[in-house]
Amino acid sequence: MSQEELLVLIYKKDEKAFTHLYDMYSKSLFSVINVLIKNREEAEDVLQDVFVKIWKNIDTYNESKGRFYTWILNIARNTSIDKLRSKNFSNSQKNLSTDNFVNLLDESNKLSNKLDAIGIQEFVKKLKPKCIEIINLLFFKGYTQQEASEELAVPLGTIKTQNRNCINDLRNYLKV
């Protein structure tokens, strides 16, 4: 079946055509999604979402604006990016498996000792409590400034300003 014949059947919402569409494009779309998502199960979920979007939005495809493959590839890419930016996805990436948690506990003592060895912990303790909280979120927990803003229920601009001020305070303590 040619792509043109397939498109005619998909416009008519033919379920066999949808199966054929999936067979034709699922591997190439999955490889694009998997490069962005980097988690096989999540990438498979995104692939399913992509095909649902293709099915529901086929009427928006316009041949004069580009090839069909480019259109579905953009749907896959945009859906992957949406998934990466979603709060649930980013939070799931921050959760630790039990295996990692045990190792983290062992390593935390080593890290704490290293921090003590260079004395950084004493300098961080000298900061204002708000600074300690912001530095903990941004630098030790890996939050983005936007995520820290949401976590602390503080405007993004305030987080950026406080972060800059806190780093300057830390530099002053370190005399750097």
Side-chain angles (χ1 to χ4, degrees), residues 77-111:
R77 183 181 160 280
N78 292 340
T79 304
S80 299
I81 290 170
D82 290 345
K83 181 70 170 181
L84 286 172
R85 291 179 179 165
S86 75
K87 188 167 185 133
N88 288 339
F89 182 77
S90 62
N91 285 341
S92 73
Q93 298 304 301
K94 291 178 187 169
N95 292 337
L96 300 173
S97 72
T98 54
D99 296 334
N100 289 338
F101 189 68
V102 171
N103 292 334
L104 184 63
L105 288 175
D106 291 338
E107 293 297 318
S108 69
N109 288 335
K110 293 176 187 172
L111 178 62

Side-chain angles (χ1 to χ4, degrees), residues 2 11 13 19 34 36 56-57 60 74 83 87-88 104 115 129-131 134 139 149 161-162 165 167 171 174:
S2 72
Y11 281 122
K13 303 292 185 189
T19 302
N34 200 37
L36 292 168
K56 287 182 176 180
N57 299 311
T60 64
N74 281 330
K83 181 70 170 181
K87 188 167 185 133
N88 288 339
L104 184 63
L115 288 175
K130 196 66 170 174
C131 285
I134 290 171
F139 296 99
S149 167
T161 301
Q162 288 179 343
N165 292 340
I167 295 299
R171 282 186 182 134
L174 293 169

Side-chain angles (χ1 to χ4, degrees), residues 64-160:
S64 65
K65 290 186 177 180
R67 294 181 21 212
F68 179 71
Y69 180 72
T70 304
W71 184 72
I72 63 173
L73 193 60
N74 281 330
I75 292 173
R77 183 181 160 280
N78 292 340
T79 304
S80 299
I81 290 170
D82 290 345
K83 181 70 170 181
L84 286 172
R85 291 179 179 165
S86 75
K87 188 167 185 133
N88 288 339
F89 182 77
S90 62
N91 285 341
S92 73
Q93 298 304 301
K94 291 178 187 169
N95 292 337
L96 300 173
S97 72
T98 54
D99 296 334
N100 289 338
F101 189 68
V102 171
N103 292 334
L104 184 63
L105 288 175
D106 291 338
E107 293 297 318
S108 69
N109 288 335
K110 293 176 187 172
L111 178 62
S112 180
N113 291 339
K114 288 177 184 173
L115 288 175
D116 282 341
I118 63 172
I120 197 79
Q121 208 166 35
E122 290 304 314
F123 290 108
V124 173
K125 286 180 185 176
K126 291 180 182 180
L127 295 173
K128 298 173 206 161
K130 196 66 170 174
C131 285
I132 294 170
E133 190 175 27
I134 290 171
I135 287 176
N136 185 41
L137 290 175
L138 295 176
F139 296 99
F140 297 115
K141 291 188 177 178
Y143 281 42
T144 64
Q145 289 180 339
Q146 179 66 44
E147 291 168 336
S149 167
E150 292 167 4
E151 177 76 19
L152 300 173
V154 174
L156 178 60
T158 303
I159 290 292
K160 290 180 178 185

